[in-house]
Amino acid sequence: MLLPPSDWLPQAPLDLLHLDWLTRSGIEVAILRLDQIDPLISGNKWFKLIEHFKAADLAAAKGLISLGGAHSNHLHALAAAGKRFGFTTVGLLRGHAQETPTVKDLQAFGMQLHWLGYGGYRARHDAGFWEPWRAQYPDLLAVPEGGGGLPGAKGCMRLKVMVSEQLKGLGWSDYNGWWLACGTGTTLAGLVLAEAGDHPVYGALAVPDDHGVAQQVESIVQEAGVHHPVYELIDASRGGFAKVDPLLLDFIAQTEQASGIPLEPLYTGKALLALKQQVEAGRFEKGTRLIFVHTGGLQGRRGFQ
């Protein structure tokens, strides 16, 4: 059994975000603190993995094999889950062998690592990519990069339930939409499926257009049979994946000091800065209430210290 025990059900608090630029604009934002569900299996990663765990159980697999980079939040969560719940994990990594805080953790958690180089990693979408890995690890289930695909999105549908259960505690009867960072688009797609058109979902793209997020989201919603998805993708990449600049770093530092909420510069920091810019540009009417998803990923901050 790969599945965690039934009493291990992560819960994330929903808190009002108190920042001066929101107060000035008359916009209310509640932040879903997925970074607080678990110290290791953190953020949206657990939700993207749960359906893959179920599929592995059904296939009688002994573990999971997946892909990521040397700072990957996805591989970090997968390796931590494997160690905690006792199943095998294998990671296929982008680039050449290097030692980062994340890589050290993967090794400590018992994940078997294979470095693919950059060309080898780019081939991950090729038709025959998985064949040699399935031959080498026949007892493992392959999971797409970032826990993506329809199974990952289905796991993220739970976030709407988590929020709905806590709205009354904020004094809210409803909300006007979601705002979150997008790396693969899987979490956004899950919220689009859960909402089924009831509320719009705004995805702040933390990666450039050539990463295929729009295509990934469209593929998932089509496979799920959603005919009128309500979502929008907004460029928040600031010039490229993992690109940071003084404005972003200053914004993160000021926001952390004002709110006490830790952010990181790849996803949550970029997403919240993009929301600030949209709010100050008059994108939302006064009185709008939004759910901001803190997608976790704080372990990756160590690569920027």
Side-chain angles (χ1 to χ4, degrees), residues 67-69 92-95 116-125 145:
L67 307 108
L92 309 179
L93 279 86
R94 178 177 59 248
L116 305 186
Y118 293 100
Y121 198 82
R122 281 194 295 271
R124 66 194 181 279
H125 300 304
E145 183 181 31

Side-chain angles (χ1 to χ4, degrees), residues 14 30 32 34 44 47-48 149-164 175 177-182 185-204 217 220-221 224 226 228-233 290-295:
L14 182 68
L32 183 63
L34 297 185
N44 56 346
F47 300 94
K48 291 201 286 186
L150 184 57
K154 284 184 174 178
C156 292
M157 292 176 69
R158 299 168 181 230
L159 301 182
K160 180 175 181 179
V161 176
M162 189 179 292
V163 162
S164 298
Y175 53 94
W178 297 78
W179 190 283
L180 70 156
C182 288
T186 307
T187 305
L188 177 138
L191 292 172
V192 170
L193 301 187
E195 286 292 353
D198 289 344
H199 301 93
V201 185
Y202 302 99
V217 173
I220 291 173
V221 297
V226 177
H228 301 288
V230 182
Y231 69 93
E232 181 181 343
L233 299 177
L290 297 173
I291 306 294
F292 180 88
V293 182
H294 191 314
T295 49

Side-chain angles (χ1 to χ4, degrees), residues 19-303:
L19 295 169
D20 57 359
W21 52 271
L22 290 172
T23 303
R24 287 195 302 267
S25 303
I27 307 296
E28 290 185 90
V29 173
I31 182 169
L32 183 63
R33 297 291 304 275
L34 297 185
D35 59 306
Q36 293 191 336
I37 65 172
D38 187 87
L40 294 177
I41 313 170
S42 175
N44 56 346
K45 313 307 173 289
W46 158 255
F47 300 94
K48 291 201 286 186
L49 283 171
I50 183 62
E51 295 296 323
H52 292 292
F53 292 159
K54 290 181 180 179
D57 259 1
L58 290 173
K62 295 182 179 178
L64 299 167
I65 178 172
S66 193
L67 307 108
H71 304 281
S72 171
N73 296 314
H74 164 65
L75 289 184
H76 194 270
L78 177 59
K83 179 174 177 61
R84 184 177 303 177
F85 303 119
F87 59 83
T88 301
T89 58
V90 174
L92 309 179
L93 279 86
R94 178 177 59 248
H96 305 292
Q98 58 179 296
E99 197 171 81
T100 68
T102 302
V103 169
K104 289 181 181 178
D105 282 353
L106 300 183
Q107 294 169 330
F109 296 153
M111 176 175 268
Q112 176 68 43
L113 305 184
H114 296 276
W115 295 88
L116 305 186
Y118 293 100
Y121 198 82
R122 281 194 295 271
R124 66 194 181 279
H125 300 304
D126 293 354
F129 173 83
W130 284 106
E131 290 179 11
W133 298 110
R134 289 193 180 99
Q136 185 171 348
Y137 296 104
D139 294 329
L140 303 188
L141 180 77
V143 175
E145 183 181 31
L150 184 57
K154 284 184 174 178
C156 292
M157 292 176 69
R158 299 168 181 230
L159 301 182
K160 180 175 181 179
V161 176
M162 189 179 292
V163 162
S164 298
E165 291 174 344
Q166 299 184 70
L167 284 179
K168 189 177 292 185
L170 300 180
W172 291 12
S173 58
D174 201 0
Y175 53 94
N176 300 105
W178 297 78
W179 190 283
L180 70 156
C182 288
T184 64
T186 307
T187 305
L188 177 138
L191 292 172
V192 170
L193 301 187
E195 286 292 353
D198 289 344
H199 301 93
V201 185
Y202 302 99
L205 284 168
V207 297
D209 288 343
D210 61 4
H211 279 58
V213 175
Q215 295 86 345
Q216 162 90 332
V217 173
E218 193 62 27
S219 173
I220 291 173
V221 297
Q222 285 185 2
E223 186 179 352
V226 177
H227 300 296
H228 301 288
V230 182
Y231 69 93
E232 181 181 343
L233 299 177
I234 296 106
D235 180 25
S237 67
R238 307 196 68 76
F241 177 63
K243 288 291 181 77
V244 300
D245 54 69
L247 176 63
L248 173 65
L249 296 177
D250 287 348
F251 170 77
I252 290 173
Q254 292 169 11
T255 303
E256 289 183 340
Q257 184 175 11
S259 68
I261 297 172
L263 303 170
E264 45 72 43
L266 298 191
Y267 298 103
T268 50
K270 286 184 174 181
L272 195 57
L273 176 56
L275 177 57
K276 177 178 185 285
Q277 292 170 336
Q278 294 280 315
V279 165
E280 292 183 339
R283 170 66 184 270
F284 299 105
E285 295 180 0
K286 185 175 181 179
T288 297
R289 288 173 166 171
L290 297 173
I291 306 294
F292 180 88
V293 182
H294 191 314
T295 49
L298 296 175
Q299 71 84 26
R301 281 167 52 125
R302 298 175 296 176

